[in-house]
Amino acid sequence: MKPATEKLVNQHREYLKEHPNELLVSASIFEHMFVYFTQTLGLDEHSARLHVDDVKTDVSCDIVSTIASSKIDILS
């Protein structure tokens, strides 16, 4: 994840600690991040989308890495 994205994600995490119920009305954590980045922080939609996509890519890589390194035999 890019350093600027990581900083925004950390800000979002801190924001959610103070406003946890907001996440309950969002379709996903990624949608909430986008709204937070644009409406709360004032990022333009294009920049916000790039940061959310960066988070999604990072999460996808983590999941694939975990699956690849797991010792679960999915063929059994």
Side-chain angles (χ1 to χ4, degrees):
M1 186 179 330
K2 295 174 184 162
T5 302
E6 189 169 352
K7 180 180 176 183
L8 291 171
V9 168
N10 288 335
Q11 289 175 335
H12 181 248
R13 184 180 302 120
E14 291 301 314
Y15 178 83
L16 282 177
K17 286 179 183 177
E18 299 295 320
H19 307 90
N21 291 336
E22 284 187 21
L23 194 54
L24 299 174
V25 296
S26 294
S28 70
I29 185 75
F30 302 114
E31 177 191 322
H32 191 274
M33 276 185 193
F34 180 78
V35 171
Y36 172 76
F37 293 163
T38 55
Q39 293 182 6
T40 303
L41 297 182
L43 269 64
D44 63 271
E45 290 187 6
H46 178 72
S47 296
R49 180 61 52 212
L50 290 174
H51 288 294
V52 171
D53 289 346
D54 187 27
V55 173
K56 286 180 179 180
T57 300
D58 193 61
V59 169
S60 296
C61 289
D62 288 347
I63 290 170
V64 170
S65 176
T66 300
I67 291 169
S69 66
S70 72
K71 296 181 180 183
I72 299 172
D73 185 1
I74 60 172
L75 300 176
S76 300

